[in-house]
Amino acid sequence: MASDRLSLVFGALADPIRRAILTRLSEGEATVAELAAPFSVSQPAISRHLKVLEIAGLVSRSRRATARLSRLEAGPLREVTTWLARYQRFWDESHERLDDLLTALQARQEEDSGPHPAVTAKRNDDE
Amino acid sequence: MASDRLSLVFGALADPIRRAILTRLSEGEATVAELAAPFSVSQPAISRHLKVLEIAGLVSRSRRATARLSRLEAGPLREVTTWLARYQRFWDESHERLDDLLTALQARQEEDSGPHPAVTAKRNDDE
């Protein structure tokens, strides 16, 4: 298992329960019991997930009176988003290709329906 | 190991060699030999990494003559970026909190150094 920072963060996010824990923590700090409540998972299992999130820097833990609270730390999410951003042009490009295709299809459809009043055929859902 | 789509993509990204493979493929299609070249890793090991990337939908493979080429598929990267985007307000907020803190510190420092020349006391590490 790779232990560099980005790998730790991506690895921590590669689990639906850990992502759900982060979503819950985005609403505010929570105890292990509160985090375990929505899942059919034991509190020790939630604690192990929290440990993975803590090692990745995604969660910090503090003690208030007898309660141990977990808190979302969003910084590493910014780091992975920055890493992902450099691939944005690739999905933008595939979007552009799709847009071009749609424009071409639309143009051809208008051409087909241009000379004769076939445009009413598109409105039959109004009837 | 979780097998939902987002978990597969995050899991695939949780390895520096697999991320480096994606970076290489962002420059164009490549064979396993070409992908293995920069690493001290065997071609079978690279093939295993490619399999993980392929299952996550991040790489597609095609055959051209005798060569088997891998190609970047950026769609899943958009999906994980969309998932991450909802946490953006948290890192923005922590930025704002930091900005507020810096502004407050700066204001206090200016206040302190205003009436009396106590500012020299803070510079004793220059001596």
Side-chain angles (χ1 to χ4, degrees), chain A residues 10 80-81 83-99, chain B residues 5-6 9-10 13 22 56-58 72-86:
Chain A
F10 279 126
V80 298
T81 305
W83 185 87
L84 288 160
R86 52 172 147 162
Y87 293 92
Q88 192 160 3
R89 65 190 168 100
F90 293 99
W91 71 69
D92 284 350
E93 270 170 23
S94 55
H95 257 184
E96 277 163 27
R97 278 206 303 272
L98 192 65
D99 283 347
Chain B
R5 168 78 169 208
L6 265 180
V9 179
F10 279 126
L13 295 173
L22 293 181
L58 289 163
L72 173 68
E73 297 292 341
L77 297 177
R78 182 181 50 202
E79 286 168 40
V80 298
T81 305
T82 304
W83 185 87
L84 288 160
R86 50 172 149 165

Side-chain angles (χ1 to χ4, degrees), chain A residues 2 4 6-7 10-11 13-16 19 22-23 26 71-72 74 77-78 80-81 83-84 87 90-91 95, chain B residues 2 4 6-7 10-11 13-16 19 22-23 26 71-72 74 77-78 80-81 83-84 87 90-91 95 97:
Chain A
D4 62 284
L6 265 180
S7 298
F10 279 126
L13 295 173
D15 183 281
R19 292 196 303 278
L22 292 181
T23 303
S26 72
R71 180 193 163 89
L72 174 68
L77 298 177
R78 183 181 50 203
V80 298
T81 305
W83 185 87
L84 288 160
Y87 293 92
F90 293 99
W91 71 69
H95 257 184
Chain B
D4 62 283
L6 265 180
S7 298
F10 279 126
L13 295 173
D15 183 281
R19 291 197 303 277
L22 293 181
T23 303
S26 73
R71 179 193 163 87
L72 173 68
L77 297 177
R78 182 181 50 202
V80 298
T81 305
W83 185 87
L84 288 160
Y87 293 92
F90 293 100
W91 69 69
H95 257 182
R97 278 206 304 271

Side-chain angles (χ1 to χ4, degrees), chain B residues 7-52:
Chain B
S7 298
L8 287 174
V9 179
F10 279 126
L13 295 173
D15 183 281
I17 291 181
R18 288 199 291 269
R19 291 197 303 277
I21 289 174
L22 293 181
T23 303
R24 168 61 189 82
L25 292 179
S26 73
E27 295 159 16
E29 296 180 325
T31 63
V32 171
E34 285 166 345
L35 290 171
F39 304 108
S40 56
V41 170
S42 68
Q43 289 192 25
I46 294 291
S47 288
R48 282 193 295 275
H49 283 307
L50 282 173
K51 194 75 206 159
V52 175

